[in-house]
Amino acid sequence: MKYAVAAALISLGLLVPRPAHGASVVKVDRATWGASGVPSYVNMYIYVPDTLATKPPVVFAHHSCGTPVSGYVGSITGIQAAADKNGFILVLPEATGQNCWDVGSTKSLTHDGGGDTQAVAQMAKYVITKYSADAARVYAMGGSSGAMMTQALMAVYPDIFKAGSARAGVPAGCWADGYASSNQWSNNCANGQTTKTAQQWGDLVRAMYPGYTGPRRRIQLFQGTADQTISYNNMGESIKEWTNVLGLSVTPASTDTFKTSMYTYARQFWKSSCGFTVFETWAGQNGSHSMPYEQDAILAFFGLDKAGGVDPEVAACSGDGGVGGSGGSSGAGGAGGATGAGGARDGGVDGGSDGGMAGVGGVQGRGGSSGRGGSGGVGGAAGTGGTVGTGGSSAPGTGGSSGSSGAAGTGGTVASGSGGSAAAGTSGGAGPGGTQGSAGSAGGSTPQGGNSGTGGSTPPGGGTDPKGCSCVVGDAQRSGSTAAALLLAAFGLTVRRQRRSRR
């Protein structure tokens, strides 16, 4: 019986049989991903799961020295399994035939300078276009040389990579000190001899992409305190670098101790102005260089431990309204919500708008500057405000003229818009004693007023229709009137017949 029911459901389209698992790591030809002006030894491998999310996120995973992709992928099986489960794409660049990644030459430490970092950036642009991937959710990770590449990408291409997780790496730019192109190695940096002030490190990073004015991205670092390949001194230098780049105090906001089955980590956390962790370090006590990846923590940091959603930083720092993505799409807010603590800007490759989102019905979020080359989601003219119903009062707008949702019914109050381009109001207003729904708040860069939500007519029947639509009430009244007319006509016909029979 159950098989017959399942077959019937499939035939109706209510159940879709899952395809057989066929995804694998495959090489993409250089001409296909558009390699241009970059080293010939850099190659691209990709893993696209059988079931791909709509607008999938992308993770770039970078191998260590002397490790081909075929060997490296076995060390990140948890990331690959999460890709299968949650539908994101995994890209595995390879420095074929090289000892390590080039993260020490000027060309690789310069935005679009023609080095290894630019090759990876070209891969990212290809994947976003080819698979309609989410340009606001492209992440980088790696270990050892791959960790150095991750930190370099966060410095050189913050317009593409939104977060990075690096295990046993060095600060961006450190590898240039004594860099040998013959084996892509730097003894000075590896041995922990390269030190700078926080300001010097920050200036070094900013010089790698001098024209960039957008947001700097969050980063997660891991390293064993007994690392004999890459000196643990580099963790301290990385802390100076990234706290300066992110505008944070060198002193963490909080610390704790975290134990796994293999290691005990001393962890430090730094938070942004909206209270979200944008920088964290995990020091593995007595850990060696080749510690395993803490894959669950990495996935959670990227927000890829579950399917769907937006980048966790954007979600945490945007209030309750919709999140402005590329092109500044607006989200509808509910009434009376708390203000967002500050907008997280989120432009994509050659960006959309980076604006923050105001909390629902509250004070407008702190908008950022728009992404490079993208069209901003700028709001329109201010709404004119709704007419207050009998006994109602108008709530003041915040951040400019409020965009009201239409006319309130008797006894209702009109909720003001919260600045920005307001989401369209629902079509029905409040009946006597009801309260009209408020306008939503806008995503994108800081709005200039906002178009008012479309108000609905007040239902003539009294109470507030939960969907804000008076059409149901109107139809019911018309149906009642029609029925009454028919009954009266029938009664009149009966009376006339009775009179005729009496005659």
Side-chain angles (χ1 to χ4, degrees), residues 147-158 164 166 169-173 197-199 201-206 208 216-221 234-250 270 278-281:
M148 300 176 199
M149 172 60 92
T150 296
Q151 294 197 57
L153 288 170
M154 300 302 295
V156 182
Y157 288 97
V170 303
T197 66
Q199 185 65 42
W201 280 121
D203 290 343
L204 182 63
V205 168
R206 288 181 284 271
M208 295 177 191
R216 291 290 174 173
R217 308 303 184 171
R218 69 186 187 276
I219 192 162
Q220 178 186 52
L221 303 180
N234 283 297
M235 175 70 92
E237 296 302 305
S238 291
I239 289 173
K240 288 190 289 184
E241 177 174 80
W242 293 109
T243 52
N244 183 269
V245 169
L246 291 165
L248 305 168
S249 168
V250 176
W270 287 260
V278 293
F279 181 41
E280 60 183 60
T281 63

Side-chain angles (χ1 to χ4, degrees), residues 134-183:
D134 190 347
R137 301 199 69 186
V138 180
Y139 308 112
M141 64 169 289
S144 191
S145 183
M148 300 176 199
M149 172 60 92
T150 296
Q151 294 197 57
L153 288 170
M154 300 302 295
V156 182
Y157 288 97
D159 55 331
I160 295 178
F161 295 92
K162 312 308 178 186
S165 180
R167 190 211 68 199
V170 303
C174 178
W175 214 240
D177 182 16
Y179 177 67
S181 59
S182 59
N183 62 354

Side-chain angles (χ1 to χ4, degrees), residues 364-401:
Q364 183 177 321
R366 296 167 49 218
S369 60
S370 63
R372 296 178 65 252
S375 56
V378 181
T384 57
T387 304
V388 180
T390 305
S393 59
S394 176
T398 59
S401 300

Side-chain angles (χ1 to χ4, degrees), residues 127-356:
V127 173
I128 291 168
T129 301
K130 169 69 175 178
Y131 296 97
S132 298
D134 190 347
R137 301 199 69 186
V138 180
Y139 308 112
M141 64 169 289
S144 191
S145 183
M148 300 176 199
M149 172 60 92
T150 296
Q151 294 197 57
L153 288 170
M154 300 302 295
V156 182
Y157 288 97
D159 55 331
I160 295 178
F161 295 92
K162 312 308 178 186
S165 180
R167 190 211 68 199
V170 303
C174 178
W175 214 240
D177 182 16
Y179 177 67
S181 59
S182 59
N183 62 354
Q184 302 82 49
W185 194 259
S186 166
N187 282 324
N188 293 350
C189 183
N191 295 334
Q193 298 169 352
T194 305
T195 62
K196 299 180 185 294
T197 66
Q199 185 65 42
Q200 288 172 332
W201 280 121
D203 290 343
L204 182 63
V205 168
R206 288 181 284 271
M208 295 177 191
Y209 189 0
Y212 183 69
T213 58
R216 291 290 174 173
R217 308 303 184 171
R218 69 186 187 276
I219 192 162
Q220 178 186 52
L221 303 180
F222 299 83
Q223 190 170 8
T225 61
D227 191 329
Q228 294 181 334
T229 303
I230 301 297
S231 171
Y232 183 69
N233 289 346
N234 283 297
M235 175 70 92
E237 296 302 305
S238 291
I239 289 173
K240 288 190 289 184
E241 177 174 80
W242 293 109
T243 52
N244 183 269
V245 169
L246 291 165
L248 305 168
S249 168
V250 176
T251 303
S254 64
T255 62
D256 71 7
T257 300
F258 183 78
K259 293 184 178 182
T260 67
S261 59
M262 295 184 66
Y263 294 100
T264 297
Y265 290 95
R267 304 192 301 181
Q268 302 179 92
F269 303 92
W270 287 260
K271 296 181 182 296
S272 66
S273 58
C274 77
F276 187 80
T277 298
V278 293
F279 181 41
E280 60 183 60
T281 63
W282 294 50
Q285 303 306 293
N286 299 313
S288 65
H289 180 68
S290 298
M291 297 172 67
Y293 290 96
E294 296 297 340
Q295 296 177 78
D296 290 344
I298 295 170
L299 290 166
F301 191 70
F302 294 159
L304 297 176
D305 51 340
K306 55 186 178 298
V310 297
D311 180 85
E313 183 178 0
V314 175
C317 297
S318 299
D320 293 332
V323 178
S326 296
S329 59
S330 62
T339 179
R345 297 164 294 178
D346 202 44
V349 176
D350 295 330
S353 63
D354 278 352

